[in-house]
Amino acid sequence: MTRESGGMASSDEAELDESPRRLDAILRALPESELKGLITRMGIRIDAAKRIDAPSQAARALVGLPDVRDPSRLPTASRELLHRIAEAGGVLVVPSLPAGLEPLIARGVVYARKTDEGIELVLPGAFLVQLKSWESEDPRAIRALLAQAPFETMSAIATHYLGRPATPPIALSLEVAWETLSDPEKLREEIDRLAPVERRLLEAIESVGGEVDTQELLDLEREPMRLRSASGVTASRRGAGFALERRAFLIPIHPNRHVVPTEVAAIVGADRRRMREKRREQIRSFVIEEDHAPRRARFASDPGMLSLALAYCVREPGSDVRPGVGTPRSLLVRLAQRFGRDVESVALVAALSRAVGLWDASAASPATPPGSLQVQDLTPLLFTTWRRGGAWDEARAEREVLRVASDNRDASPISALREMVLDALHDLGEGRWVPWQSLQGYLAADERIAGVERLVRRWAERATVEAPEIPEITRRIALESLPALGIIDLGGAEDSASADLALRLTPRGRALLAGSAPSSDNGKSKFVEAHALRVGTGAKVSTVLGLSAFAEIGRVGDQVDLLLTPPSIARALSVGLDSDALRARIEAVAPLPDTISRMLIQASVVIGKASFVGASGFLWIEDPEIRELLRTRRPAAEMFVDPSPPSGLLIEAGVDLERLIRRCRALGVEIEADVGNLKATRQQTPAHGTEGPHRTSSTANMRRSRTPPARTR
């Protein structure tokens, strides 16, 4: 990979022997001038006497920078862009250069190259395995577990995949391991090569929830040797457990847990899921014997439209939300009342919207997600984020994870319970109403429930919270979270008990569970009334959020209406937006109607111009002779603005009051200063033979203003 000026790399270079996503390979492919510029910019010392070349030395220095291990040091736009690239697997294709890219390129963290599809942003694997986990990421993914694994585990993993002892920095040594672990096909091949004993141990751990403590691990692998330390039983560095650990199939988490990553559990548990698929026909035949359709139903709405409306509301004045802290409850209550929704439903969609970056300023950029997405893509994105479990946790009393202290955000085994509920809904009723009691009984008979209950109890002990009951957690998932996400419809009266309710997967839910995008009419945005813009599902998120400066939220349901009223457009013009910019933003969403077009034309008409003049005050003078004297005669003339408005003189900015009084007195005009009032009096020389000076006076009040006046031409 080579880079042109500005950090861009050409895609028509020869293929490299090394992976183009490894940091040292990228640096080695840079032009010499670019590499020298990066080394100079980052203050890296290159020792010519060392046996390794300059790119390798630069790579060792770059992975030691704290900006990746602690992204809070980066600007907000750069941090969000870093997360989006990591979620894309380390390679993100964008149509144009996004906001926040320059600091990442300047630090040598992200590299860009031109491709036929657009601009490809590459985050090397050495940086990818160091990033801390964030809200929209699965906390049990391989990448998140590697980032928090102890040094001994990372060294063992790097040594296994390198085929030789790993040398510091470990982040560079882990790049080879990451190439295998991030590729599903290579990962499957690596699992298939496991010894039978190791495979059985991995399947046993996955069957009880994918998490065990050290004592249970040693019992499962039938390890007789027990090494005890101050923190309890310690796993030995031999046997099947360590064989899985060095392959990153079982990663230890401080202080006493061993977790199977989500990607590994999906491959290992595939056979058991296929066996459950065979039982689906039998379960379905039991459910379809009777018609369970309720008399009343509450149909789920699209959460993507609500998330778009919430993103509008938080951009209004007075809705400031601090990063890293939970959304204020008062704001959630106010938004729920505004849209006529349940508070918990609004809180869920708000937490997921924040996690995907919809509330950030970067969402208005069309270069990176979510700004580059269409409105119809928001629903699958919210569902995927909820399914990962990093932003919302039904096992907690406060479900939004950001409400928990940062040092106590230990992930509960909620993902396993969610998969159980989703599997049960898929098994029991595809398009049919299922009584909640039948679904609850099916969940209680699941063979995984005992293992998950044990994991929940141990998680509650670590998090120092009261252990919730499994039926209560599944009830929250099925009757609160899934309806808010538009996955299921609820049947029954609103005031009826949970036992009398029935559930049904929506067409949207069936599509999301099948891994496909929900059907959409791909409707275009249009004006349904003179000032009401109905947002279509085919509109881009960035263009819709670009209207937030002057559009108001109207009706919010399966569709969102934006109101473009004359007062809102007038407010936008008053803060500095010109009519051409308003027209361009609106036309990016929908064609303009005649009413708004005429309004913008009238707003763009210039009836006059004004020039700004800096002044420190105004000297009110009623006598035109005195005014002309001070305006034309030196040395006072240079202290006034010429021309000045009638009936007075504007005093130049920065003129000292004492200096003004002395110069005016030299011309015979006396200014007497009182508190808040200035008086100017002209002194005339007396004629010969008179007894005293003849005094003619005129009053001049000097009014000081913080805002300098404007002069009209």
Side-chain angles (χ1 to χ4, degrees):
M1 179 184 298
T2 59
R3 293 203 309 171
E4 300 170 351
S5 61
M8 301 299 298
S10 175
S11 61
D12 54 359
E13 298 294 331
E15 292 293 326
L16 299 171
D17 294 336
E18 297 179 271
S19 171
R21 292 173 58 183
R22 298 185 192 174
L23 180 57
D24 55 350
I26 294 175
L27 295 177
R28 197 169 288 112
L30 290 178
E32 186 177 356
S33 59
E34 291 285 342
L35 180 60
K36 288 183 178 179
L38 176 62
I39 292 173
T40 303
R41 189 166 58 249
M42 301 306 298
I44 301 173
R45 291 187 58 187
I46 302 298
D47 190 353
K50 288 187 176 181
R51 297 175 60 184
I52 58 176
D53 56 3
S56 298
Q57 296 184 46
R60 290 170 177 263
L62 289 176
V63 295
L65 296 176
D67 293 330
V68 176
R69 296 191 301 274
D70 186 11
S72 61
R73 299 165 56 96
L74 296 171
T76 302
S78 301
R79 183 168 62 252
E80 292 298 327
L81 177 61
L82 198 63
H83 292 166
R84 301 292 89 82
I85 300 175
E87 288 176 353
V91 177
L92 178 66
V93 179
V94 295
S96 59
L97 294 177
L101 178 61
E102 184 177 354
L104 299 177
I105 288 182
R107 290 170 170 82
V109 175
V110 173
Y111 301 85
R113 64 178 179 182
K114 295 178 181 177
T115 61
D116 296 336
E117 293 80 10
I119 302 173
E120 187 179 73
L121 305 180
V122 179
L123 177 64
F127 296 129
L128 197 63
V129 297
Q130 296 186 72
L131 275 176
K132 290 182 179 179
S133 183
W134 54 95
E135 291 81 12
S136 61
E137 186 187 32
D138 181 3
R140 293 196 178 193
I142 293 180
R143 198 218 65 78
L145 293 175
L146 278 178
Q148 57 179 321
F151 176 81
E152 295 79 5
T153 299
M154 292 191 293
S155 178
I157 294 172
T159 299
H160 173 76
Y161 287 99
L162 278 173
R164 57 176 174 79
T167 57
I170 294 299
L172 289 176
S173 301
L174 280 175
E175 287 187 313
V176 178
W178 178 250
E179 291 174 3
T180 300
L181 298 174
S182 61
D183 190 333
E185 293 300 327
K186 293 182 179 179
L187 183 60
R188 185 183 299 274
E189 294 175 1
E190 191 70 21
I191 293 176
D192 292 339
R193 287 197 290 265
L194 286 175
V197 176
E198 299 167 357
R199 180 65 182 254
R200 284 196 299 270
L201 176 60
L202 188 60
E203 291 175 350
I205 299 173
E206 193 276 334
S207 64
V208 295
E211 180 179 330
V212 293
D213 60 17
T214 305
Q215 183 70 41
E216 292 172 331
L217 173 63
L218 296 176
D219 291 340
L220 287 174
E221 66 173 316
R222 299 180 181 179
E223 173 61 57
M225 185 175 181
R226 299 291 191 268
L227 302 178
R228 296 187 178 274
S229 63
S231 59
V233 180
T234 304
S236 62
R237 308 303 289 176
R238 63 182 181 86
F242 179 67
L244 296 177
E245 179 181 333
R246 68 182 183 183
R247 289 178 170 87
F249 297 164
L250 183 66
I251 299 180
I253 301 298
H254 180 81
N256 193 25
R257 288 187 295 153
H258 302 265
V259 179
V260 177
T262 303
E263 296 88 340
V264 177
I267 298 175
V268 174
D271 293 338
R272 189 176 64 253
R273 284 189 291 272
R274 281 194 294 268
M275 294 179 63
R276 289 202 305 269
E277 186 73 20
K278 294 179 181 179
R279 301 198 308 266
R280 182 176 302 171
E281 290 298 329
Q282 301 175 358
I283 300 171
R284 183 183 294 129
S285 64
F286 171 77
V287 174
I288 64 177
E289 286 179 357
E290 297 181 10
D291 186 10
H292 304 287
R295 294 183 178 181
R296 297 181 180 179
R298 287 165 281 168
F299 299 104
S301 58
D302 188 358
M305 293 299 179
L306 178 59
S307 66
L308 195 64
L310 294 177
Y312 255 80
C313 294
V314 298
R315 284 167 167 78
E316 296 176 352
S319 301
D320 296 334
V321 179
R322 293 184 296 170
V325 182
T327 309
R329 195 69 181 179
S330 59
L331 176 61
L332 294 176
V333 173
R334 189 166 68 249
L335 293 175
Q337 295 174 349
R338 181 174 181 178
F339 299 125
R341 304 292 183 92
D342 181 68
V343 177
E344 288 301 322
S345 300
V346 173
L348 169 60
V349 178
L352 300 179
S353 301
R354 291 187 63 183
V356 301
L358 200 59
W359 287 18
D360 298 324
S362 59
S365 171
T368 55
S372 61
L373 302 177
Q374 294 181 338
V375 175
Q376 62 189 3
D377 299 328
L378 290 179
T379 300
L381 181 61
L382 295 175
F383 176 71
T384 303
T385 305
W386 171 81
R387 200 169 187 175
R388 290 170 178 167
W392 190 262
D393 193 342
E394 287 87 357
R396 296 181 180 273
E398 292 287 351
R399 288 56 173 304
E400 186 183 0
V401 177
L402 286 179
R403 290 187 177 275
V404 185
S406 58
D407 56 349
N408 198 22
R409 292 176 186 172
D410 186 12
S412 70
I414 194 64
S415 298
L417 284 172
R418 287 173 177 169
E419 294 303 322
M420 289 171 56
V421 175
L422 294 176
D423 289 345
L425 286 170
H426 197 272
D427 289 343
L428 294 179
E430 291 189 4
R432 298 185 61 87
W433 289 96
V434 179
W436 167 242
Q437 285 185 331
S438 300
L439 180 64
Q440 200 171 28
Y442 177 77
L443 291 172
D446 196 303
E447 70 275 5
R448 296 170 290 177
I449 198 70
V452 175
E453 187 174 5
R454 177 180 52 82
L455 294 178
V456 170
R457 185 172 60 254
R458 294 187 174 176
W459 163 79
E461 293 174 357
R462 294 193 307 270
T464 64
V465 297
E466 184 178 355
E469 297 294 334
I470 297 299
E472 175 62 20
I473 301 177
T474 55
R475 189 198 66 80
R476 294 174 182 175
I477 295 173
L479 303 183
E480 295 179 8
S481 298
L482 291 179
L485 292 171
I487 305 300
I488 63 173
D489 297 325
L490 291 179
E494 294 185 3
D495 56 349
S496 60
S498 300
D500 301 329
L501 294 177
L503 302 86
R504 181 183 66 176
L505 278 173
T506 62
R508 183 188 304 109
R510 292 196 296 270
L512 291 175
L513 292 181
S516 59
S519 60
S520 174
D521 55 358
N522 199 17
K524 296 182 178 179
S525 304
K526 59 182 179 180
F527 280 86
V528 293
E529 296 178 6
H531 301 289
L533 171 60
R534 180 157 295 170
V535 177
T537 56
K540 276 196 172 184
V541 174
S542 59
T543 59
V544 178
L545 293 181
L547 305 180
S548 60
F550 52 90
E552 300 175 356
I553 288 290
R555 190 183 67 86
V556 177
D558 286 336
Q559 294 175 318
V560 173
D561 291 345
L562 303 179
L563 303 180
L564 296 158
T565 59
S568 64
I569 294 180
R571 284 195 300 269
L573 294 173
S574 65
V575 298
L577 286 174
D578 57 76
S579 59
D580 293 336
L582 295 181
R583 178 183 296 273
R585 292 190 184 187
I586 300 173
E587 289 181 341
V589 180
L592 275 175
D594 294 338
T595 54
I596 298 182
S597 180
R598 288 195 298 268
M599 188 190 311
L600 293 177
I601 292 175
Q602 294 174 358
S604 62
V605 174
V606 178
I607 60 175
K609 293 184 178 181
S611 59
F612 178 82
V613 175
S616 62
F618 183 74
L619 188 64
W620 189 275
I621 305 175
E622 296 179 355
D623 193 332
E625 295 181 1
I626 298 178
R627 191 165 59 246
E628 187 67 16
L629 174 68
L630 295 179
R631 187 185 68 83
T632 57
R633 298 289 294 273
R634 297 180 62 186
E638 62 185 22
M639 306 181 74
F640 300 103
V641 177
D642 189 23
S644 290
S647 301
L649 296 174
L650 283 173
I651 303 173
E652 289 279 1
V655 172
D656 182 66
L657 178 59
E658 297 296 333
R659 182 164 160 248
L660 172 67
I661 294 174
R662 288 196 304 269
R663 292 201 177 184
C664 291
R665 185 64 184 85
L667 295 176
V669 178
E670 183 179 5
I671 298 179
E672 298 177 355
D674 297 333
V675 178
N677 187 36
L678 293 179
K679 297 180 180 180
T681 304
R682 181 172 60 183
Q683 300 287 344
Q684 294 183 349
T685 304
H688 181 70
T690 59
E691 296 181 357
H694 178 70
R695 185 174 183 178
T696 303
S697 64
S698 63
T699 302
N701 293 331
M702 178 179 180
R703 301 176 181 176
R704 294 185 177 270
S705 174
R706 294 183 179 179
T707 304
R711 181 181 60 188
T712 304
R713 294 191 299 186

